[in-house]
Amino acid sequence: MKQAGIDGNTKLLAIIGDPITQVRSPEIYNPRIVKAGVNAVLQPMQIPTATFDDAIKGIMAIGNLLGVVVTYPHKERVLRYADQIGRIGQAVGAINAMRREPDGSWTGDMFDGAGLLGALASLGQTATGRRVLILGAGGAGSAITMALAAAGAAMIGVFDLDANRAAELAARVQTHFPVCCARTTEPDVTGFDLLINATPVGMAPAFALAPFRGALHAGLTVIDIVPKPETTSLLALAREKGCPTANGAAVVSGQADAVLAFFGIGSSEAPAQAKLPSLETRS
Amino acid sequence: MKQAGIDGNTKLLAIIGDPITQVRSPEIYNPRIVKAGVNAVLQPMQIPTATFDDAIKGIMAIGNLLGVVVTYPHKERVLRYADQIGRIGQAVGAINAMRREPDGSWTGDMFDGAGLLGALASLGQTATGRRVLILGAGGAGSAITMALAAAGAAMIGVFDLDANRAAELAARVQTHFPVCCARTTEPDVTGFDLLINATPVGMAPAFALAPFRGALHAGLTVIDIVPKPETTSLLALAREKGCPTANGAAVVSGQADAVLAFFGIGSSEAPAQAKLPSLETRS
């Protein structure tokens, strides 16, 4: 085990959740922070729901805290502690990062979908004008959908086994990003140019094929957010058909870049979201 | 800069103070924690006095927090958050470390004097039966005096330019450790076998000689807690006279061992204080 170059000047980034032992973010973020030449560390903190309010108030009172990365189950609960919330965070109704501004106020936003934009960028692509079929309207699917809508996707078809959940997400897109055409859809890829699997289907050991219909073709980009295995059944099939593909690792990498850019770290790789002057005061 | 081997299982030790940038403890403690094979890091946290209560409550609500190391100006203020206080902490009226017990309660104690015992041990000596002249009855001097009294010093002569401060410290020793004979004294080494400089006199760049009278001799051990320079004027003179000596670095090292042992880390080097079953419930 290597050890921290922590000294009196080291700034703190907290990642809060419960449980916390499963988080991989410290191992992903900390080498990037070092590479960016910033004296800060991302430190996991297990915050039980029962003591969440005491804990977050206390953490926010730490003078050398840059901000907080938020994971399950606190992404909605932390909202009330942000003075400003970015438009994606507003649209999703949850945030996964909150930073201290120079004036002492706190800004939160949701970056769980930002990694998808990074994965697209790794293929030399953008979200602008895309017709997207997204499978899964849960937490990840919602964040991805809003990130794509904010980044200029032309239309987004949402499929979920829970039809109500899909309908609710499509409606929220219309409310927050009216120029993006969002609607519920069957999982048929016909007419789409970007397919995203935001369901857990395909995770090892089951390794099932994410449910879709229609023919995969070279004009369809396929991204699977499932982190393991590296190549899901969906991605293997897509590559066979000549589709450009990106996997869960590319999404995770893109999200780390986006979150760190939000904290002012490694901004050379900053994604569009972090640069948007789009923060609105919480109503 | 090396970077942390921080992952989801990394436990947190907070060091709290204001200011915090000057603390050297992370650089001293973290390599020892690694060497002990423990997945934990000591992370500096700047806690302003104005938000101290919010901050400490929040920090104590972090599930994977092992405990807190406390520095200026919070050593007295943090007392009320400890459910049990060790006898040295009670005697000093301040603590510099607080740990979470398996039952969720909090135990605090003062280790600012424990490093002196470690410095003695590095010379193959103990405090038992010693006749000690201590120069300086401030925070460090008080903690050292109580640590020596707890460890069995036979008598302690306290000198301070502020005679009231010296008298108050001697009286506190009598209250808490009645078998140790403590009294105020002139700074004359005659009759003592251990001389401790717990004043800042001798620090670079002034480099003055700590004020004492009488003849240094080989039967007198001399310890100077001044951290820089490595060899103060007092230590240089003592070595010339054949006295066994230990410097501020030995004291700092001994204190780090004692504090970490209190947190259950690296207990092979645990000093006597941490092993004492001497915790009393706060009255």
Side-chain angles (χ1 to χ4, degrees), chain B residues 23 27 32 44 55 145 149 152 156 170 172 200 206 225 263 270 283:
Chain B
V23 297
E27 295 152 274
R32 288 167 198 252
T145 297
I156 303 178
R172 285 175 71 89
I225 73 162
F263 291 116
S283 58

Side-chain angles (χ1 to χ4, degrees), chain B residues 14-28:
Chain B
I15 175 166
I16 63 172
D18 188 26
I20 199 69
T21 56
Q22 82 293 346
V23 297
R24 295 209 42 236
S25 298
E27 295 152 274
I28 294 164

Side-chain angles (χ1 to χ4, degrees), chain A residues 158-181:
Chain A
V158 180
F159 172 75
D160 196 287
L161 288 175
D162 180 341
N164 286 335
R165 189 157 79 158
E168 194 191 351
L169 175 55
R172 286 174 71 89
V173 174
Q174 292 314 119
T175 301
H176 290 274
F177 301 99
V179 302
C180 176
C181 171

Side-chain angles (χ1 to χ4, degrees), chain A residues 63-234:
Chain A
N64 60 332
L65 180 88
L66 292 178
V68 183
V69 178
V70 187
T71 188
Y72 178 86
H74 302 314
K75 291 179 189 182
E76 295 84 17
R77 193 172 286 110
V78 74
L79 266 181
R80 79 187 74 145
Y81 293 95
D83 299 300
Q84 300 89 223
I85 298 169
R87 59 180 181 157
I88 296 178
Q90 289 180 34
V92 176
I95 59 177
N96 79 321
M98 191 166 72
R99 74 180 173 213
R100 176 184 271 136
E101 301 292 351
D103 67 1
S105 70
W106 292 83
T107 300
D109 208 350
M110 168 52 83
F111 296 90
D112 283 351
L116 207 285
L117 304 181
L120 272 178
S122 74
L123 300 172
Q125 302 183 18
T126 70
T128 311
R130 304 298 288 267
R131 286 160 294 140
V132 186
L133 173 58
I134 184 154
L135 308 176
S142 298
I144 289 168
T145 298
M146 295 304 179
L148 288 166
M155 78 88 63
I156 303 178
V158 180
F159 172 75
D160 196 287
L161 288 175
D162 180 341
N164 286 335
R165 189 157 79 158
E168 194 191 351
L169 175 55
R172 286 174 71 89
V173 174
Q174 292 314 119
T175 301
H176 290 274
F177 301 99
V179 302
C180 176
C181 171
R183 54 177 171 76
T184 61
T185 183
E186 290 301 299
D188 188 327
V189 301
T190 309
F192 291 99
D193 59 33
L194 175 58
L195 171 64
I196 297 164
N197 178 38
T199 76
V201 177
M203 284 181 79
F207 215 100
L209 184 64
F212 71 92
R213 295 200 295 272
L216 301 182
H217 56 87
L220 180 72
T221 297
V222 179
I223 301 180
D224 195 334
I225 72 162
V226 164
K228 278 183 187 179
E230 199 179 312
T231 304
T232 60
S233 298
L234 175 63

Side-chain angles (χ1 to χ4, degrees), chain A residues 262-277:
Chain A
F262 176 69
F263 291 116
I265 297 172
S267 56
S268 65
E269 297 176 72
Q273 182 179 345
K275 290 174 183 163
L276 287 173

Side-chain angles (χ1 to χ4, degrees), chain B residues 58-190:
Chain B
I59 291 166
M60 291 168 71
I62 298 170
N64 60 333
L65 180 87
L66 293 178
V68 184
V69 178
V70 187
T71 188
Y72 179 84
H74 302 314
K75 291 179 189 182
E76 294 84 17
R77 193 172 287 110
V78 75
L79 266 182
R80 78 187 74 145
Y81 293 95
D83 300 300
Q84 300 90 223
I85 298 169
R87 59 181 182 157
I88 296 177
Q90 290 180 33
V92 176
I95 58 179
N96 80 321
M98 191 166 71
R99 73 180 174 214
R100 175 184 272 136
E101 302 294 350
D103 67 1
S105 70
W106 292 83
T107 299
D109 209 349
M110 168 52 82
F111 296 90
D112 282 352
L116 206 285
L117 304 181
L120 273 178
S122 75
L123 299 172
Q125 301 184 17
T126 70
T128 311
R130 303 299 288 267
R131 286 160 293 141
V132 186
L133 172 59
I134 184 155
L135 308 175
S142 299
I144 289 168
T145 297
M146 295 304 179
L148 288 167
M155 76 87 67
I156 303 178
V158 180
F159 173 75
D160 197 287
L161 288 175
D162 179 341
N164 286 335
R165 190 157 80 156
E168 195 191 350
L169 175 56
R172 285 175 71 89
V173 175
Q174 293 313 119
T175 301
H176 291 273
F177 302 99
V179 302
C180 176
C181 171
R183 55 178 171 74
T184 59
T185 184
E186 290 301 299
D188 188 327
V189 301
T190 309

